[in-house]
């Protein structure tokens, strides 16, 4: 592809060289430079790609894209205002503008992005629309999950993933649009068909993330200048801020009488192996809904998914089936067991997330709430004290075990957890080997129990002494059940 074609949708000036040259790839990591590629210099928190421009040329790059004046010889030098923005548009061009073929959905908000994205996918696929996902769990196409470093990957990876989705028969993509993804132009280069806002709370403030809450809000709101139809939670206090300077058509959902798609009569649904939420939908659609993910707050996520999916050729039965069968890997994920109790896998790995999940599960009035968990090694010890205290206060039994001990001794970590537990009257048992601990929970489960395996979630490894070994709790559970 010619360099001038890659640059066709951005403003630039040619500092040196020619744009009528063939380019083999668009590269933003100097370690991956290949012959006749264009190297885009990105400035990050820890390093600046402009420092490697000449090295990239020496390694074979035919052109470099910069936003600073630099010394670079032997290649075309293209200057733009923002190299991250340029990378997004160049990547879209390089992969043939995949968004022109796919229906694109972006989900932004502080909480619920992953769950809502999975709900949307589940509904659309029930309607026969193969749908890819890009988000916290990775890039999901069919049964294949490719891990990513960020919730919203770099723009090149997004465009590459969407092209692959088309090649594998996808018609839709739903993407988690993080505030940092929006801030760093990772979602630029195309206009989303639908932008969805779930909620907003204090998060990602400080360090290399956002300077303050104001910047965080402004970054979230960017989505509604990058989509054709904005679908927003009218009940959230940040709703008006999300629409500042918006350019999209606006639709709303929520429990408010003013919502276009309204929910009411939210209630918990509980039976062995199924903890969910039900509610009534009125307004733009009328139906009774049940979703197989616990917590009344998931009524909002399910309603958000319905608000998007009603624009697609799916039936109400597709919506019901999609929500009734949705599974979010590692997020209060139910695992089938041969008994009248409920076994869940969840990613909760700090005091706040444990408080949230255990408080939610308490609402279902289990006979016993049993929490299996450990704590990560080479991490602040305070986290362990806090997790122990939370579990001791909210669980009927805490089963203390290992979880990515890294370079620390597992028993030292467990002693720290016990320090927190001893601030409560909670019962606990120590079983250092995680597989043995899971076996104990299964073999001693009673009718009506809820057992949550906390900490690993979607992870499929254990990290001990600097070595990561494969460890998937779903496989462990299956082996225990079928070998008992």
């Amino acid at each position: 592809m010619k360099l001038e074609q890659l640059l066709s949708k951005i403003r630039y000036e040619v500092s040196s060289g020619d744009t009528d040259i063939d380019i083999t790839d668009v590269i933003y990591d100097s370690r991956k430079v290949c012959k006749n590629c264009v190297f885009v210099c990105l400035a990050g928190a820890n390093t600046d790609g402009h420092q490697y421009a000449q090295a990239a040329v020496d390694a074979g790059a035919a052109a470099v894209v910069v936003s600073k004046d630099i010394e670079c010889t032997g290649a075309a030098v293209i200057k733009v205002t923002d190299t991250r923005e340029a990378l997004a548009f160049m990547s879209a061009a390089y992969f043939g503008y995949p968004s022109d073929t796919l229906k694109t959905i972006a989900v932004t908000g502080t909480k619920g992005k992953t769950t809502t994205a999975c709900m949307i996918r589940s509904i659309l696929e029930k309607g026969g629309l193969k749908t890819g996902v890009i988000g916290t769990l990775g890039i999901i196409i069919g049964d294949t999950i490719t891990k990513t470093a960020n919730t919203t990957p770099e723009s090149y990876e997004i465009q590459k993933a969407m092209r692959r989705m088309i090649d594998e028969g996808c018609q839709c993509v739903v993407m988690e649009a993080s505030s940092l993804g929006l801030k760093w132009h990772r979602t630029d280069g195309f206009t989303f068909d639908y932008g969805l806002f779930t909620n907003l709370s204090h998060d990602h403030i400080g360090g290399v993330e956002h300077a303050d809450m104001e910047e965080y809000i402004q970054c979230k709101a960017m989505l509604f200048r990058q989509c054709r139809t904005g679908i927003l939670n009218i009940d959230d206090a940040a709703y008006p801020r999300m629409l500042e300077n918006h350019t999209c058509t606006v639709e709303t959902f929520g429990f408010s009488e003013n919502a276009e798609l309204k929910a009411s009569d939210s209630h918990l649904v509980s039976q062995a192996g199924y903890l969910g939420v039900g509610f009534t939908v009125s307004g733009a659609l009328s139906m009774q809904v049940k979703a197989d993910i616990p917590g009344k707050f998931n009524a909002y996520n399910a309603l958000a998914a319905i608000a998007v999916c009603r624009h697609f050729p799916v039936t109400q039965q597709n919506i019901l089936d999609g929500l009734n069968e949705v599974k979010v890997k590692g997020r209060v994920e139910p695992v089938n067991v041969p008994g009248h109790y409920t076994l869940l896998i969840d990613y909760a790995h700090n005091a706040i997330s444990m408080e949230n999940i255990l408080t939610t599960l308490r609402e279902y009035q289990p006979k016993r709430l049993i929490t299996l968990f450990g704590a990560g090694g080479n991490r602040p010890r305070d986290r362990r004290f806090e997790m122990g205290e939370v579990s001791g206060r909210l669980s009927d039994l805490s089963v203390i075990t290992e979880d990515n001990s890294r370079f620390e001794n597992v028993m030292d970590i467990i002693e720290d957890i016990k320090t927190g537990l001893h601030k409560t009257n909670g019962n606990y048992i120590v079983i250092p080997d995680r597989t043995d601990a899971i076996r104990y929970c299964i073999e001693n489960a009673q009718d009506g129990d809820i057992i949550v395996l906390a900490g690993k979630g979607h992870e499929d490894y254990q990290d001990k002494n600097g070595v990561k070994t494969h460890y998937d709790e779903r496989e462990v559970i299956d082996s225990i059940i079928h070998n008992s």
Side-chain angles (χ1 to χ4, degrees):
M1 179 177 285
K2 296 290 185 181
L3 179 58
E4 60 188 4
Q5 292 176 280
L6 293 174
L7 299 169
S8 63
K9 293 193 176 183
I10 57 178
R11 291 183 177 181
Y12 64 92
E13 61 181 63
V14 181
S15 298
S16 64
D18 188 3
T19 59
D20 187 25
I21 56 175
D22 290 317
I23 296 297
T24 56
D25 205 346
V26 180
I27 301 295
Y28 62 93
D29 184 337
S30 61
R31 297 165 296 182
K32 298 180 180 179
V33 167
C34 57
K35 187 174 176 58
N36 292 330
C37 71
V38 55
F39 176 62
V40 183
C41 301
L42 303 184
N46 301 313
T47 187
D48 187 343
H50 290 84
Q51 299 173 2
Y52 306 103
Q54 188 62 57
V57 172
D58 294 342
V64 294
V65 176
V66 302
S67 59
K68 302 176 181 179
D69 293 324
I70 62 169
E71 293 285 335
C72 188
T73 60
V77 178
I78 309 299
K79 190 173 183 182
V80 298
T81 302
D82 190 312
T83 52
R84 289 187 177 276
E85 182 181 34
L87 176 64
F89 282 90
M90 294 171 69
S91 299
Y94 181 73
F95 287 104
Y97 300 103
S99 64
D100 290 348
T101 302
L102 291 167
K103 281 291 185 182
T104 53
I105 305 156
V107 183
T108 199
T110 304
K111 299 175 182 176
K113 293 189 297 296
T114 301
T115 297
T116 304
C118 289
M119 286 176 167
I120 292 170
R121 181 191 188 223
S122 183
I123 293 169
L124 294 180
E125 295 215 326
K126 286 294 181 183
L129 300 170
K130 186 172 182 180
T131 302
V133 176
I134 301 173
T136 302
L137 301 180
I139 296 168
I140 305 173
I141 306 174
D143 295 326
T144 302
I145 301 177
T146 305
K147 294 179 181 178
T148 57
N150 301 299
T151 293
T152 308
E154 197 52 78
S155 57
Y156 178 93
E157 311 306 330
I158 288 174
Q159 297 292 336
K160 181 180 180 181
M162 291 198 296
R163 174 50 57 190
R164 185 177 142 218
M165 288 175 186
I166 293 169
D167 293 342
E168 297 193 25
C170 290
Q171 296 140 289
C172 312
V173 57
V174 55
M175 184 187 313
E176 295 180 49
S178 69
S179 56
L180 291 174
L182 291 159
K183 175 181 179 179
W184 295 115
H185 299 288
R186 294 171 186 161
T187 59
D188 284 13
F190 66 102
T191 300
F192 287 99
D193 291 299
Y194 301 96
L196 179 66
F197 169 65
T198 58
N199 54 67
L200 192 106
S201 58
H202 194 280
D203 202 3
H204 300 295
I205 309 301
V208 298
E209 296 189 294
H210 297 290
D212 49 33
M213 193 66 178
E214 180 62 25
E215 183 190 280
Y216 181 50
I217 291 171
Q218 289 178 4
C219 288
K220 290 289 189 190
M222 290 170 66
L223 177 59
F224 302 100
R225 299 189 292 276
Q226 292 179 219
C227 68
R228 295 182 179 89
T229 300
I231 301 173
L232 297 93
N233 176 3
I234 197 172
D235 297 342
D236 193 271
Y239 163 71
R241 296 296 311 277
M242 291 296 109
L243 291 178
E244 291 178 358
N245 302 313
H246 76 277
T247 58
C248 59
T249 301
V250 175
E251 297 180 2
T252 60
F253 67 91
F255 282 73
S256 166
E257 287 293 332
N258 297 322
E260 293 172 60
L261 187 72
K262 188 177 74 172
S264 59
D265 187 30
S266 177
H267 57 278
L268 301 177
V269 180
S270 177
Q271 59 194 65
Y274 188 111
L275 301 179
V277 60
F279 56 95
T280 300
V281 177
S282 59
L285 284 178
S286 296
M287 57 194 301
Q288 297 291 323
V289 173
K290 185 171 71 171
D292 187 14
I293 297 183
K296 283 193 174 181
F297 55 88
N298 273 308
Y300 271 108
N301 295 332
L303 187 65
I306 295 170
V308 170
C309 292
R310 74 183 186 88
H311 290 278
F312 290 77
V314 298
T315 65
Q316 287 198 6
Q317 191 61 50
N318 294 150
I319 292 172
L320 294 173
D321 291 343
L323 292 175
N324 198 38
E325 299 174 27
V326 64
K327 297 290 182 290
V328 185
K329 189 173 184 181
R331 302 300 197 274
V332 284
E333 175 190 353
V335 182
N336 290 330
V337 289
H340 297 289
Y341 64 97
T342 301
L343 181 60
L344 305 168
I345 294 175
D346 193 77
Y347 189 51
H349 59 288
N350 58 39
I352 293 174
S353 55
M354 284 189 69
E355 177 102 29
N356 289 339
I357 181 61
L358 297 182
T359 301
T360 295
L361 296 177
R362 270 278 164 221
E363 293 179 347
Y364 288 85
Q365 300 181 351
K367 179 176 183 180
R368 296 184 304 167
L369 178 56
I370 300 170
T371 308
L372 177 151
F373 71 103
N378 304 106
R379 297 293 186 270
R381 293 177 66 197
D382 286 354
R383 294 185 185 180
R384 305 166 191 175
F385 306 149
E386 293 166 355
M387 290 169 69
E389 188 172 353
V390 168
S391 185
R393 177 164 46 85
L394 293 173
S395 305
D396 294 295
L397 175 66
S398 299
V399 180
I400 314 305
T401 188
E402 62 185 334
D403 185 352
N404 294 337
S405 53
R406 298 183 177 90
F407 291 98
E408 284 195 69
N409 184 290
V410 171
M411 295 310 299
D412 291 341
I413 296 172
I414 288 174
E415 285 301 314
D416 285 341
I417 294 172
K418 287 167 62 179
T419 298
L421 277 161
H422 290 158
K423 295 181 179 179
T424 74
N425 295 318
N427 296 318
Y428 71 89
I429 183 172
V430 173
I431 305 177
D433 181 85
R434 196 170 182 100
T435 297
D436 289 343
I438 294 172
R439 181 179 293 107
Y440 172 87
C441 290
I442 291 173
E443 291 180 348
N444 290 276
Q446 300 175 18
D447 289 356
D449 284 352
I450 295 177
I451 302 169
V452 57
L453 311 184
K456 303 301 289 181
H458 59 277
E459 289 182 355
D460 58 1
Y461 63 86
Q462 279 277 41
D463 188 344
K464 297 183 189 178
N465 301 315
V467 177
K468 286 186 177 182
T469 55
H470 180 74
Y471 192 87
D472 189 320
E473 290 186 319
R474 297 150 200 79
E475 297 172 7
V476 172
I477 293 165
D478 185 69
S479 176
I480 291 170
I481 289 173
H482 289 94
N483 291 300
S484 60

